[in-house]
Amino acid sequence: MTLDPVHIEGIARLAGQLGRGVSDTDHQGLAETVWEKFLDPLYADGDPVLEPLGEQRRRVIDLEDAALAASPFDTQHGLDSGTINPTTFKNGLVLDVAQAAMSAVPSDLDLHRGRTVVVSAHTNDATVNLGGEWLAYDEGYTRQRIVQVPRVDRYAQTVVHALALYLAESHHAQLQADVVEDLLILDGPIYPTGLLKWADRHPELATLLRDHERPRSVIQNYVELVETFVDRDVPLVGFVKNSASNAITRVVRSETNAPWANDAAFFTQVLARRDDGGDLRTDALTCTNWFRSRLGTDRPLSTQGDGLGLDMDLDREAYEVTFFVVYDPRLDVTYRIEAPYAITRDEETREQLTRHLLGEIAAEQGPPLPVAKADELARIDREGKEMLRQTIERQFDSERQRQYNDERWGVSLDVDGGL
């Protein structure tokens, strides 16, 4: 143990000093003020960047009632992509491997067997030319491709990770779109936010996004996916389990002293219900209405964005991100559910999606079943990651570049610096 009880007690006293200066009660009151007065609509630089679809309101549904309610969607599909995380080799190559899979409820074993695998690679050696066309194996159930990402001075790991992850996901979604009859739920947002945020992250990444075809072609895949589902009149939604967006709180902070670290913390304050004694009530789910967003990474593909020069067949507003937020008091977490405006502009469809997703969350005590199944299919576990890395080392005849953390923790840090 690295901390003795005396150390823990001392740290607790320090934290107590912070706590005395930060009042949850004050935050709750401010959250109510922001909810009531700022979001209908929310303005930034004179433009409406967030506005309710229909009436702005909060809703409560008993957990048992939600779980037992009949769904309007007879079948549902989920889709996810997982990676081994970026790996650097001593020969100078940086690569990541992603696989995407689609789940079905009820189950479809042939569909579950299907995979899209992408190996993305970065090299500073101008004489190396990697890449190729899609290839099929495993009796045609799997398609794979290697892509060489544009050379960058920094952020090579960021680039290989994002392009592998999102190319695998978007290609698999396009490949399997025809099997979806009622509803597709992506595990994550409906657009590749990991790419879209490059515009604000660093000038080199912003240039890469603007000037190179590869990242824009991946975003184009998602635009075409939206067009496909709108044309087929089948809802497409994204289930965001861990939203780190602070787009709303950043705008609100320009008008008032918004204390929340991110939007999820704000919506938790807005949606959590407490009894007269201040204890959290855990008998029901709560949610917001749907909002239409032109904030943060939602902006580029909105009517206020530049569209990144992509080809768009629908009216620009059709691609705008809409979302609502669900709070589950059993885990004290919020989920953000997204869909393109072309789908949610219809009030009946919004209501069907809301009730279905609330029912899934209530029944599963977490993400909807198709999302959980897709996550399980696409995830590459620790043993699989290690086996892949060792196999690639043999193919390259080059060892991976190890760090002290490999010895200390037995794993490499991911691109966001976490374990």
Side-chain angles (χ1 to χ4, degrees):
M1 182 175 177
T2 57
L3 290 175
D4 292 330
V6 65
H7 302 140
I8 294 173
E9 184 178 347
I11 293 169
R13 284 198 300 269
L14 286 175
Q17 294 179 25
L18 289 172
R20 285 191 291 273
V22 179
S23 170
D24 269 349
T25 303
D26 292 343
H27 290 184
Q28 180 65 46
L30 182 56
E32 290 292 330
T33 299
V34 171
W35 172 260
E36 295 290 344
K37 298 184 178 180
F38 282 74
L39 304 185
D40 189 13
L42 179 65
Y43 286 94
D45 299 324
D47 296 320
V49 292
L50 185 81
E51 51 191 322
L53 287 176
E55 179 186 1
Q56 181 179 329
R57 57 177 176 160
R58 287 170 285 190
R59 305 173 70 177
V60 180
I61 185 168
D62 178 81
L63 282 164
E64 185 174 353
D65 290 344
L68 295 177
S71 170
F73 303 104
D74 294 332
T75 63
Q76 304 112 54
H77 290 77
L79 192 137
D80 193 18
S81 180
T83 80
I84 67 170
N85 286 333
T87 305
T88 301
F89 293 85
K90 292 180 179 179
N91 62 6
L93 280 174
V94 182
L95 64 78
D96 204 349
V97 180
Q99 72 159 349
M102 180 177 283
S103 68
V105 177
S107 292
D108 181 338
L109 297 184
D110 279 344
L111 178 69
H112 292 177
R113 181 176 171 181
R115 296 288 192 276
T116 293
V117 176
V118 173
V119 179
S120 62
H122 175 277
T123 177
N124 287 315
D125 188 343
T127 66
V128 174
N129 184 23
L130 303 172
E133 301 300 318
W134 291 103
L135 301 174
Y137 69 104
D138 187 23
E139 300 179 8
Y141 281 95
T142 299
R143 287 167 63 85
Q144 65 177 8
R145 184 181 181 186
I146 184 168
V147 295
Q148 183 170 344
V149 306
R151 285 193 293 273
V152 288
D153 293 330
R154 301 172 62 186
Y155 298 111
Q157 292 194 344
T158 297
V159 173
V160 298
H161 176 74
L163 290 179
L165 182 78
Y166 292 120
L167 178 56
E169 179 181 82
S170 60
H171 183 77
H172 200 69
Q174 289 179 322
L175 199 64
Q176 305 290 355
D178 288 345
V179 308
V180 181
E181 297 180 351
D182 298 306
L183 174 66
L184 175 61
I185 309 176
L186 303 181
D187 188 350
I190 58 173
Y191 296 119
T193 54
L195 293 175
L196 293 170
K197 69 183 179 182
W198 287 4
D200 298 323
R201 185 166 181 180
H202 187 273
E204 186 176 13
L205 289 175
T207 299
L208 192 68
L209 184 63
R210 184 184 65 246
D211 295 344
H212 287 267
E213 178 189 359
R214 179 70 67 198
R216 289 203 315 277
S217 69
V218 174
I219 301 172
Q220 181 74 51
N221 286 349
Y222 286 86
V223 168
E224 293 174 2
L225 188 66
V226 168
E227 293 169 351
T228 296
F229 277 79
V230 170
D231 182 62
R232 297 182 61 226
D233 196 25
V234 175
L236 165 71
V237 302
F239 192 91
V240 185
K241 295 176 286 191
N242 300 295
S243 175
S245 172
N246 64 352
I248 296 174
T249 51
R250 191 167 60 244
V251 174
V252 170
R253 196 170 291 124
S254 66
E255 300 291 335
T256 187
N257 183 29
W260 308 287
N262 51 43
D263 298 347
F266 163 68
F267 281 114
T268 297
Q269 289 277 355
V270 167
L271 293 173
R273 300 159 58 244
R274 298 186 180 276
D275 60 25
D276 293 338
D279 294 326
L280 187 66
R281 297 179 59 179
T282 59
D283 59 328
L285 297 176
T286 52
C287 69
T288 68
N289 55 280
W290 286 82
F291 287 94
R292 185 173 169 183
S293 173
R294 307 179 190 95
L295 281 165
T297 54
D298 300 336
R299 185 180 180 87
L301 300 181
S302 75
T303 54
Q304 294 179 9
D306 60 9
L308 301 173
L310 303 176
D311 295 328
M312 296 182 173
D313 293 338
L314 305 175
D315 294 336
R316 284 292 296 278
E317 67 176 11
Y319 302 93
E320 290 191 324
V321 173
T322 65
F323 72 91
F324 78 106
V325 176
V326 178
Y327 174 69
D328 188 341
R330 295 169 298 182
L331 300 176
D332 191 26
V333 297
T334 59
Y335 304 112
R336 170 173 158 139
I337 292 94
E338 301 183 353
Y341 179 60
I343 288 170
T344 57
R345 72 174 91 200
D346 178 70
E347 184 178 359
E348 182 179 356
T349 302
R350 290 201 305 272
E351 185 66 15
Q352 288 178 336
L353 290 171
T354 300
R355 290 190 173 275
H356 171 75
L357 289 159
L358 289 172
E360 285 283 301
I361 294 168
E364 299 299 323
Q365 299 189 50
L369 182 56
V371 171
K373 291 175 69 172
D375 178 81
E376 183 178 348
L377 290 169
R379 184 188 301 120
I380 306 173
D381 61 21
R382 183 174 296 182
E383 283 188 18
K385 291 177 181 179
E386 185 61 25
M387 188 180 301
L388 273 171
R389 288 173 176 141
Q390 290 176 1
T391 301
I392 293 168
E393 283 181 326
R394 290 194 296 269
Q395 291 290 328
F396 282 175
D397 194 24
S398 177
E399 295 180 342
R400 83 190 91 155
Q401 185 175 315
R402 297 180 182 273
Q403 302 176 12
Y404 178 67
N405 280 320
D406 296 328
E407 289 295 323
R408 186 181 184 190
W409 302 109
V411 293
S412 296
L413 292 175
D414 64 23
V415 292
D416 294 320
L419 289 175

